[in-house]
């Protein structure tokens, strides 16, 4: 086992090196044999990475504590699901997962129907440079198959916070997003190297980019959900450096997904697009660097190791390389760019949306890195907390929401103002009505009301788009509503998929604005038989009991809950004392209805009869999870459908000389 | 001037406005990281500043009033100085001897630090410790002590 594991890692290095060389030779000699061989190398990489991954899963599943990684992250009593997901609990396993996913993506790319595309040798080389990096780091610094000197009787176990369904999904989805960005990056660079200044690379990678974005979205939403359930502070987003690290590429890819539409249609923004995808890819490396280096204080701090240095060097290398390629091709990119025809057009509104998304990314980046910047220049470490991010991001996100409401109404090329105003009428009325209703019900907080009204306006625009499309179709075809709706959306999957994503964002916005502004929190110590009242809820504390499960001590509070005087059952917050972990873990208890969560934390106790609870009422938090699901559905809808690449450049002619 | 240039200029102006907004928000939103040693010597210098500091917990000093939800304790940095802390709120988990405590808040005239946030730093974090450093007995002892009577 030890041999197989280590051999697969070293083979990974050798094969990727060989593959890169084979590609270079193939390109230079125009030899299809060499290129074919390089393709084989990518497939072999997927094979060895799979062997290493399944081997590690086997070792984890069967508790082979002679392996350091297994002993550090699992123990005998850990449930099987978490034994296996300990795969990505530490550095070495995460790197292996990364290499595995990259190799799989690589194999999918080089064996796609574009395999004869002359960009492919470059694309596969760039992907193999990445794979080479991960295997090298594993070999030099974080080997998942390292042995212990003395075999321990039992392992250390998994951090209790990681023993949550979130652990099964969050890291994998985020990695799939991170890794997925390497593909459009590789295509973008390949196109530049080959001086193909058309939009072919964008068309070829549209699905890859969307897929990566889908996983980034999913990863972030699941991360928020996990934090909400597990951390016990009632929040889902804390502007923690590591959270920011995964939010940054999400922002830049969001910008990219919009601006590529302009290049596809109008042949504009070429430099911008290629820069955005390079930036997004570099940000994935940067995020990993932040997480792995431990240079910033974070709840996610993965311990200090010099792994960060490897990422820093690799990131610098990739950045310089990309910069060199862009600079040497800059004149060519500029040459046949089309100008914007009118100020008031979809093009310019997309430009504005891009600027705002990138500005948001910059604001997050700046706030995240500020402690290091201030320490370098002033000697004092100034930490930037959530207030900075909230202050800066709130107006940015508000503008984005308004823009999302306006953009679908603006025509391409040159919009007519009167027509635009006419289109705005109903959505605007919806926004205003929302504000009036909120005021009428005595809702306070002017900024929240503005935000909610803007969201309602944005939702209105999208609703109107659906209604208009369906009506127009019905007029033409006499279909019933359902059939017309189905046909309309299926025939324009990209467009309506995008609209569904926007609706998901509107729903999330309601959750974020409401929970941020209208959350209430009560901290109280109560004796047995006494109650805590908050909002429409009343909680009566009955008893504190303890029992053991899987060798862990569990302390449970039993509470009866009434809502508006009606009995709605029990709520049972817990604290779990793990035998192999120094800190107890808080298990919050939540009761959800459509408009709010009752969120109860067992904080501490003096004795069995006197206990301190934190009780929060968080309005509309479940909307965030629902909105996330809708976003994913919308993205998937745009992903599986959408027009296939309608026109291909005469690339195959070129390759027939080379590849045959 | 071409339309493209004008648009780029307009967007450039928007970007400048944005940067100004960002910088003007910065100082009010940050917390300065100051050492316990510095705070115990020059506490008055930092009055009015939002400060973050960390130190080791002196377990003997912990006074917890569950009814009022008031927590008082002393943080120290070996041979460097001590800091009295007052916090209105929950006592964190794992509030035991020599645990590293991170506090954020303001220093008062009487030298007492009024913490808005109190967090204990988990020594093990996410990353597993080396097996050699793992002290199972200690963890079991902690486990026993932490259970309710």
């Amino acid at each position: 086992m030890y041999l197989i594991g280590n051999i697969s890692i070293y083979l990974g290095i050798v094969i990727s090196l060989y593959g890169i060389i084979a590609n270079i030779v193939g390109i230079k000699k125009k030899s299809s044999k060499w290129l074919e061989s390089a393709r084989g190398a990518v497939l072999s990489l997927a094979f060895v990475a799979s062997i290493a991954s399944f081997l590690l899963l086997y070792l984890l599943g069967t508790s082979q504590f002679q392996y350091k990684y297994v002993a550090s992250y699992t123990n005998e009593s850990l449930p099987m699901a978490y034994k296996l997901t300990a795969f990505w609990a530490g550095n070495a396993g995460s790197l292996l997962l990364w290499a595995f996913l990259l190799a799989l993506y690589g194999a999918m790319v080089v064996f796609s129907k574009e395999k004869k595309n002359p960009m492919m040798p470059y694309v596969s080389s760039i992907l193999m440079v990445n794979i080479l990096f991960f295997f090298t780091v594993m070999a030099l610094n974080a080997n998942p198959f390292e042995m212990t000197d003395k075999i321990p009787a039992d392992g250390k176990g998994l951090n209790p916070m990681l023993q949550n369904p979130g652990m099964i999904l969050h890291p994998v989805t985020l990695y799939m997003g991170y890794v997925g960005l390497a593909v459009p990056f590789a295509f973008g660079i390949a196109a530049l190297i080959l001086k193909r200044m058309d939009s072919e690379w964008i068309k070829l990678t549209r699905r890859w980019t969307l897929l990566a974005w889908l996983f980034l979205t999913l990863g972030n939403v699941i991360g928020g959900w996990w934090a909400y359930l597990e951390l016990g502070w009632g929040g889902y987003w804390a502007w923690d450096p590591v959270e920011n690290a995964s939010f940054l590429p999400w922002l830049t890819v969001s910008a990219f997904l919009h601006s590529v539409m302009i290049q596809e249609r109008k042949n504009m923004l070429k430099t911008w697009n290629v820069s955005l995808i390079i930036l997004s890819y570099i940000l994935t490396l940067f995020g990993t660097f932040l997480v792995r280096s431990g240079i910033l204080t974070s709840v996610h701090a993965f311990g200090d190791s010099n792994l960060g240095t490897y990422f820093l060097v690799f990131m610098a290398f990739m950045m310089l390389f990309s910069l060199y390629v862009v600079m040497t091709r800059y004149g060519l990119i500029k040459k046949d760019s089309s100008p914007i025809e009118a100020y008031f057009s979809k093009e310019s509104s997309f430009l504005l949306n891009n600027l705002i998304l990138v500005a948001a990314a910059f604001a997050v980046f700046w706030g995240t890195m500020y402690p290091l910047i201030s320490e370098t220049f002033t000697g004092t470490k100034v930490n930037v907390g959530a207030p900075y991010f909230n202050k800066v991001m709130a107006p940015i996100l508000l503008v984005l929401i308004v823009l999302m409401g306006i953009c679908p109404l603006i025509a391409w090329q040159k919009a007519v103002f009167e027509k635009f105003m006419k289109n705005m009428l109903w959505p605007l009325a919806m926004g205003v009505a929302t504000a009036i209703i909120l005021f009428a019900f005595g809702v306070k907080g002017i900024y929240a009301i503005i935000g909610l009204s803007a969201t309602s306006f944005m939702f209105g625009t999208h609703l109107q788009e659906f209604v208009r499309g369906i009506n127009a179709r019905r007029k033409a075809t006499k279909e019933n509503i359902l059939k017309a709706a189905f046909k309309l959306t299926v025939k324009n999957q990209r467009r309506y998929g995008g609209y569904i994503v926007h609706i998901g964002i509107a729903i999330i916005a309601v959750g974020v604005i409401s929970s941020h502004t209208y959350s209430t929190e009560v901290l109280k110590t109560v004796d047995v038989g006494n109650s805590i009242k908050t909002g429409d809820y009343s909680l009566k504390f009955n008893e504190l009991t303890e029992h053991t499960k899987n060798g862990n001590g569990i302390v449970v509070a039993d509470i009866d809950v009434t809502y508006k005087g009606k009995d709605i059952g029990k709520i049972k917050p817990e604290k779990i004392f793990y035998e192999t972990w120094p800190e107890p873990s808080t298990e919050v208890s939540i009761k959800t209805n459509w408009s709010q969560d009752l969120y109860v934390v067992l904080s501490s106790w003096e004795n069995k009869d006197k206990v301190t609870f934190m009780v929060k009422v968080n309005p509309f938090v479940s909307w965030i999870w629902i909105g996330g699901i809708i976003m994913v559905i919308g993205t998937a809808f745009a992903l599986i459908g959408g027009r296939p690449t309608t026109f291909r450049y005469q690339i195959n002619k070129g390759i027939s000389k080379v590849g045959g | 001037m071409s339309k493209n240039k004008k648009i780029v200029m307009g967007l450039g102006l928007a970007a400048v406005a944005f940067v100004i907004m960002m910088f003007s928000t910065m100082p009010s939103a940050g917390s300065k990281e100051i050492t316990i040693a510095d705070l115990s010597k020059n506490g008055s210098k930092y009055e009015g500043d939002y400060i973050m500091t960390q130190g080791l917990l002196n377990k003997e000093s912990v006074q917890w009033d569950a009814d009022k939800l008031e927590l008082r304790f002393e943080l120290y940095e070996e041979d460097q100085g001590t800091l009295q802390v007052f916090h209105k709120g929950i006592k964190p988990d794992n509030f035991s001897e020599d645990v590293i405590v991170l506090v954020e808040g303001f220093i008062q005239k009487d030298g007492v630090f009024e913490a808005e946030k109190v967090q204990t730093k988990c020594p093990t974090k996410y990353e597993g410790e080396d097996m050699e450093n793992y002290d199972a007995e200690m963890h079991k002892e902690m486990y026993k002590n932490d259970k309710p009577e």
Side-chain angles (χ1 to χ4, degrees):
Chain A
M1 294 289 175
Y2 174 78
L3 270 180
I4 298 174
N6 280 284
I7 287 174
S8 57
I9 287 175
Y10 287 100
L11 263 182
I13 298 176
V14 175
I15 298 172
S16 35
L17 269 175
Y18 168 77
I20 296 164
I21 293 167
N23 268 327
I24 295 171
V25 176
I27 293 165
K28 283 252 170 341
K29 288 190 169 177
K30 294 195 180 1
S31 150
S32 61
K33 263 191 187 163
W34 278 97
L35 293 181
E36 193 67 47
S37 175
R39 252 205 300 281
V42 179
L43 193 66
S44 316
L45 277 172
F47 184 64
V48 292
S50 308
I51 288 183
S53 303
F54 286 113
L55 185 62
L56 183 60
L57 280 176
Y58 171 75
L59 298 177
L60 286 163
T62 52
S63 295
Q64 312 269 337
F65 296 128
Q66 67 272 35
Y67 291 89
K68 225 173 176 174
Y69 195 76
V70 180
S72 298
Y73 296 102
T74 64
N75 61 357
E76 289 282 4
S77 60
L78 197 67
M80 184 51 90
Y82 296 121
K83 275 188 186 174
L84 297 179
T85 47
F87 191 124
W88 41 85
N91 282 332
S94 304
L95 292 171
L96 179 57
L97 177 68
W98 198 311
F100 172 63
L101 291 173
L102 248 179
L104 279 191
Y105 281 10
M108 277 156 80
V109 169
V110 298
F111 284 94
S112 68
K113 59 176 189 274
E114 293 295 330
K115 65 180 175 193
K116 296 282 168 71
N117 191 316
M119 276 192 235
M120 209 47 95
Y122 297 91
V123 172
S124 83
S125 299
I126 293 168
L127 291 176
M128 279 192 281
V129 168
N130 279 279
I131 298 172
L132 173 67
F133 168 72
F134 283 100
F135 274 115
T136 311
V137 176
M138 273 188 272
L140 295 178
N141 193 273
N143 187 339
F145 301 106
E146 199 182 333
M147 300 284 231
T148 48
D149 302 330
K150 207 166 54 190
I151 304 175
D154 197 2
K156 186 176 183 300
L158 190 65
N159 185 329
M161 283 192 207
L162 302 182
Q163 296 180 35
N164 178 286
M167 177 64 178
I168 302 170
L169 296 169
H170 168 71
V172 184
T173 44
L174 260 190
Y175 278 167
M176 284 171 87
Y178 269 23
V179 174
L181 286 179
V183 179
F185 165 78
F187 271 95
I189 294 288
L192 283 180
I193 293 175
L194 284 169
K195 300 185 181 168
R196 306 177 78 95
M197 297 309 149
D198 50 60
S199 308
E200 188 202 5
W201 71 273
I202 284 173
K203 290 180 200 289
L204 291 180
T205 55
R206 189 184 82 85
R207 289 212 162 110
W208 282 101
T209 319
L210 263 181
L211 191 74
W213 190 81
L214 181 147
F215 282 120
L216 280 178
T217 308
L218 202 59
N220 276 313
V221 173
I222 295 172
W225 173 72
W226 185 4
Y228 185 67
L229 294 183
E230 198 57 46
L231 296 180
W233 51 280
Y236 41 81
W237 191 266
W239 297 111
D240 178 89
V242 175
E243 292 172 356
N244 295 346
S246 60
F247 189 42
L248 284 171
W250 186 89
L251 286 169
T252 53
V253 177
S254 302
F256 179 77
L257 285 173
H258 290 92
S259 58
V260 288
M261 282 188 246
I262 308 184
Q263 185 173 341
E264 273 187 81
R265 278 179 175 243
K266 301 280 165 190
N267 211 23
M268 291 190 286
L269 300 182
K270 288 179 186 169
T271 325
W272 178 249
N273 284 333
V274 81
S275 311
L276 264 185
I277 202 65
I278 291 170
L279 180 67
S280 305
Y281 165 78
I282 298 286
L283 281 174
T284 65
L285 296 178
F286 172 75
T288 317
F289 161 68
L290 268 191
V291 177
R292 302 293 165 194
S293 66
I295 56 163
L296 291 166
T297 321
S298 152
V299 288
H300 286 79
F302 284 83
D304 304 322
S305 69
N306 49 358
L307 209 58
T309 319
Y310 287 89
F311 272 91
L312 195 65
V313 170
F314 185 61
M315 192 169 78
F317 168 73
M318 286 314 253
M319 210 144 73
L320 288 175
F321 168 68
S322 318
L323 217 65
Y324 169 76
V325 176
V326 173
M327 295 302 262
T328 50
R329 268 54 175 181
Y330 188 68
L332 268 173
I333 309 174
K334 276 273 140 202
K335 223 162 89 187
D336 55 6
S337 266
S338 322
I340 281 187
E341 286 168 41
Y343 297 125
F344 189 48
S345 61
K346 199 164 227 119
E347 290 90 316
S348 53
S349 75
F350 270 26
L351 261 183
L352 191 61
N353 122 316
N354 259 249
L355 179 85
I356 294 168
L357 282 167
V358 173
F362 185 69
V364 175
F365 177 80
W366 180 257
T368 309
M369 298 306 284
Y370 195 77
L372 293 183
I373 299 167
S374 79
E375 196 175 21
T376 312
F377 291 103
T378 66
T380 310
K381 205 169 184 174
V382 175
N383 293 296
V384 181
Y388 157 79
F389 290 102
N390 292 336
K391 258 189 189 168
V392 173
M393 294 304 281
I396 291 178
L397 296 179
L398 181 71
V399 174
L400 262 182
I401 285 174
V402 172
L403 212 56
M404 263 189 265
I406 294 174
C407 272
L409 307 176
I410 303 177
W412 286 96
Q413 272 176 4
K414 192 167 192 257
V416 181
F417 191 69
E418 288 72 27
K419 199 173 167 202
F420 164 74
M421 284 312 286
K422 214 176 127 198
N423 286 338
M424 283 255 285
L425 199 66
W426 282 110
L428 213 55
M430 246 175 106
V432 174
T434 305
I436 293 171
I437 292 169
L438 290 174
F439 271 117
F441 276 89
V443 176
K444 294 206 168 59
I446 184 71
Y447 293 115
I449 292 175
I450 293 173
L452 290 171
S453 307
T455 307
S456 163
F457 160 68
M458 185 260 264
F459 179 73
T461 308
H462 287 79
L463 198 66
Q464 177 177 277
E465 285 289 298
F466 274 93
V467 171
R468 285 197 172 165
I470 292 168
N471 282 345
R473 206 184 149 85
R474 287 188 70 197
K475 238 184 203 169
T477 61
K478 306 271 182 280
E479 289 162 349
N480 65 35
I481 290 189
L482 283 178
K483 194 174 176 194
F486 178 76
K487 286 248 165 128
L488 174 82
T489 46
V490 166
K491 290 215 159 143
N492 303 281
Q493 263 172 275
R494 277 179 79 167
R495 179 171 171 189
Y496 288 99
Y499 286 168
I500 296 171
V501 171
H502 285 180
I503 290 172
I505 292 176
I507 293 172
I508 291 182
V510 172
V512 171
I513 296 169
S514 311
S515 62
H516 196 79
T517 319
Y518 304 113
S519 256
T520 57
E521 181 184 310
V522 176
L523 262 173
K524 207 171 171 189
T525 307
V526 280
D527 297 317
V528 166
N530 285 354
S531 295
I532 299 174
K533 286 191 175 59
T534 174
D536 294 324
Y537 293 98
S538 176
L539 295 87
K540 185 172 155 251
F541 169 51
N542 295 323
E543 59 171 345
L544 192 68
T545 52
E546 63 170 297
H547 60 273
T548 44
K549 194 178 163 191
N550 293 336
N552 303 319
I554 303 176
V555 178
V556 192
D558 181 280
I559 300 169
D560 287 329
V561 187
T562 61
Y563 179 68
K564 291 184 177 167
K566 247 195 233 153
D567 182 20
I568 56 163
K570 283 187 185 298
I571 204 161
K572 292 185 168 184
E574 296 178 351
K575 252 199 185 31
I576 304 180
F577 293 83
Y578 290 86
E579 201 163 354
T580 52
W581 210 261
E583 278 183 274
S585 147
T586 298
E587 292 294 312
V588 303
S589 188
I590 302 172
K591 263 198 191 305
T592 302
N593 65 30
W594 71 274
S595 65
Q596 57 197 356
D597 283 3
L598 175 69
Y599 186 101
V600 183
V601 180
L602 171 60
S603 289
S604 62
W605 49 83
E606 302 310 298
N607 51 54
K608 274 190 166 183
D609 303 325
K610 191 174 191 179
V611 178
T612 309
F613 294 103
M614 178 172 91
V615 181
K616 290 190 91 164
V617 178
N618 296 325
F620 295 102
V621 171
S622 53
W623 286 42
I624 298 171
W625 324 134
I626 294 166
I629 293 167
I630 292 175
M631 279 177 81
V632 169
I633 292 171
T635 317
F637 191 67
L639 187 71
I640 45 173
R643 255 164 282 144
T645 313
T646 43
F647 70 105
R648 296 219 188 285
Y649 288 80
Q650 299 302 312
I651 38 181
N652 294 341
K653 280 182 194 165
I655 192 70
S656 60
K657 287 178 207 155
V658 182
Chain B
M1 197 187 287
S2 72
K3 274 189 179 155
N4 265 20
K5 274 199 179 136
K6 279 188 191 163
I7 287 176
V8 168
M9 266 185 66
L11 292 179
L13 275 177
V16 171
F18 165 76
V19 170
I20 291 171
M21 178 184 93
M22 219 174 67
F23 278 89
S24 60
T25 319
M26 189 60 70
S28 62
S31 68
K32 282 185 184 164
E33 204 169 317
I34 312 286
T35 60
I36 296 262
D38 203 357
L39 275 178
S40 63
K41 277 183 213 123
N42 317 308
S44 53
K45 203 171 102 187
Y46 297 109
E47 244 173 73
D49 287 344
Y50 191 63
I51 294 165
M52 180 206 230
T53 187
Q54 53 180 325
L56 295 163
L57 177 70
N58 172 3
K59 177 113 194 238
E60 304 295 307
S61 69
V62 177
Q63 293 172 30
W64 164 239
D65 184 332
D67 292 316
K68 288 188 189 157
L69 295 165
E70 284 178 357
L71 182 66
R72 285 169 204 280
F73 56 93
E74 183 186 277
L75 292 181
Y76 70 95
E77 208 174 321
E78 230 143 347
D79 304 327
Q80 299 289 321
T82 58
L83 183 72
Q84 302 300 322
V85 185
F86 170 78
H87 173 59
K88 184 122 185 84
I90 306 176
K91 182 175 74 158
D93 287 341
N94 195 32
F95 218 61
S96 47
E97 185 72 46
D98 283 351
V99 72
I100 300 166
V101 180
L102 228 142
V103 290
E104 271 178 63
F106 295 94
I107 190 137
Q108 305 298 312
K109 277 212 170 76
D110 54 5
V112 174
F113 190 87
E114 208 164 310
E116 289 184 4
K117 240 195 212 168
V118 176
Q119 284 172 294
T120 53
K121 224 175 180 176
C122 172
T124 38
K125 293 191 187 165
Y126 271 41
E127 187 68 16
E129 272 188 349
D130 280 349
M131 292 312 295
E132 294 86 67
N133 299 336
Y134 176 57
D135 184 353
E137 279 322 301
M138 179 195 83
H139 288 180
K140 278 183 188 154
E141 198 56 41
M142 282 169 114
Y143 166 66
K144 264 186 227 152
N145 294 339
D146 269 328
K147 280 186 178 178
E149 293 121 32

